[in-house]
Amino acid sequence: MPNLIQRWLAGNRASTWDLGDYPAYELPHPGSGRALSESQAQANWAYFQATLNERQRLLRDWLVAHDGPDPQALQGAAYAKALNTWAKAHWPQLPAFSRLPKHSPWPDCTRSGPFIVYSLLGDLGVSLGEAIRHANGDWHWGLNLDAIDLADNMATARRVVLLADLKHPTPQAREAVLDLEALLFAAHRFPDSPDFVYLDSWTRTVADAIAGGYHET
């Protein structure tokens, strides 16, 4: 309870950051699963590849300017822990989900205009993925084209996610799938969730992925 009170007081004291100058991530086709055709998913993948390095450079500059961790100075789980600590202290300064105009939530949301915060959250999620990828070369970015995930209309289906070949593939799955965006968007939508307030699923996920816990067991 004291942590929640401190967060509430911090939220009242903190001014909301103006993200008007933050670059929008103009995804050609928002959404996931059966809402996207494979050609639309491929267009999203091409856009991701074309913008990845520049967006991560811009994110680093933004984080440093807002007292955040430097993803070039920290690596792996150390970066995830620093980012999680920073987020818990500064989340109240982001435009709150509850104050945004009515809209389709992640992953169907637009990421520009009044919803520019979603461009920032997406870039932060990618930065966690980059921390994993640089620490363990088994992981790579790609589209989740798994037929079972698509049939189940999973949020990861036909979206750009982290992938790694399973050490022991099965007829049902050949790749491990990690969706780092989900962690960031959930924490923004539900900032008082015990998982975010009291735990650190970001660091645990990154550390487990680097150690091979998702694809080597």
Side-chain angles (χ1 to χ4, degrees):
M1 185 62 71
N3 283 352
L4 290 175
I5 293 174
Q6 290 171 7
R7 283 166 51 77
W8 180 80
L9 291 173
N12 280 342
R13 289 197 304 267
S15 59
T16 302
W17 282 325
D18 179 6
L19 300 179
D21 292 334
Y22 195 82
Y25 185 66
E26 300 285 4
L27 197 67
H29 306 285
S32 65
R34 294 192 297 270
L36 297 176
S37 67
E38 187 165 343
S39 63
Q40 288 175 326
Q42 292 291 350
N44 288 344
W45 169 228
Y47 184 77
F48 177 90
Q49 294 176 88
T51 60
L52 172 61
N53 291 337
E54 177 64 8
R55 292 202 67 85
Q56 287 298 294
R57 184 189 69 78
L58 292 170
L59 173 68
R60 175 184 180 269
D61 293 344
W62 188 90
L63 278 172
V64 171
H66 290 79
D67 300 317
D70 184 346
Q72 290 186 2
L74 296 171
Q75 297 180 349
Y79 170 69
K81 184 174 182 61
L83 186 66
N84 187 262
T85 299
W86 172 85
K88 287 173 177 174
H90 294 285
W91 235 224
Q93 292 173 267
L94 295 182
F97 177 90
S98 61
R99 296 183 182 179
L100 295 176
K102 186 176 180 180
H103 64 291
S104 299
W106 177 89
D108 302 315
C109 55
T110 186
R111 303 189 183 201
S112 59
F115 309 107
I116 190 63
V117 64
Y118 291 153
S119 286
L120 172 63
L121 294 174
D123 288 338
L124 290 171
V126 171
S127 75
L128 290 178
E130 286 289 271
I132 293 170
R133 189 173 69 88
H134 289 307
N136 185 329
D138 291 345
W139 292 96
H140 62 275
W141 294 108
L143 287 174
N144 177 17
L145 298 177
D146 183 83
I148 294 177
D149 286 353
L150 180 61
D152 292 339
N153 212 30
M154 299 289 288
T156 58
R158 289 185 172 167
R159 284 188 47 251
V160 177
V161 290
L162 270 187
L163 302 169
D165 291 338
L166 291 174
K167 184 176 182 180
H168 303 290
T170 68
Q172 292 76 33
R174 302 193 62 83
E175 293 178 309
V177 176
L178 269 184
D179 190 350
L180 284 307
E181 268 194 2
L183 298 175
L184 277 294
F185 278 77
H188 177 257
R189 186 174 183 181
F190 305 108
D192 293 324
S193 166
D195 181 66
F196 179 60
V197 175
Y198 299 111
L199 304 177
D200 181 2
S201 61
W202 304 5
T203 303
R204 184 176 68 250
T205 299
V206 169
D208 287 349
I210 292 172
Y214 293 105
H215 68 290
E216 292 184 354
T217 54

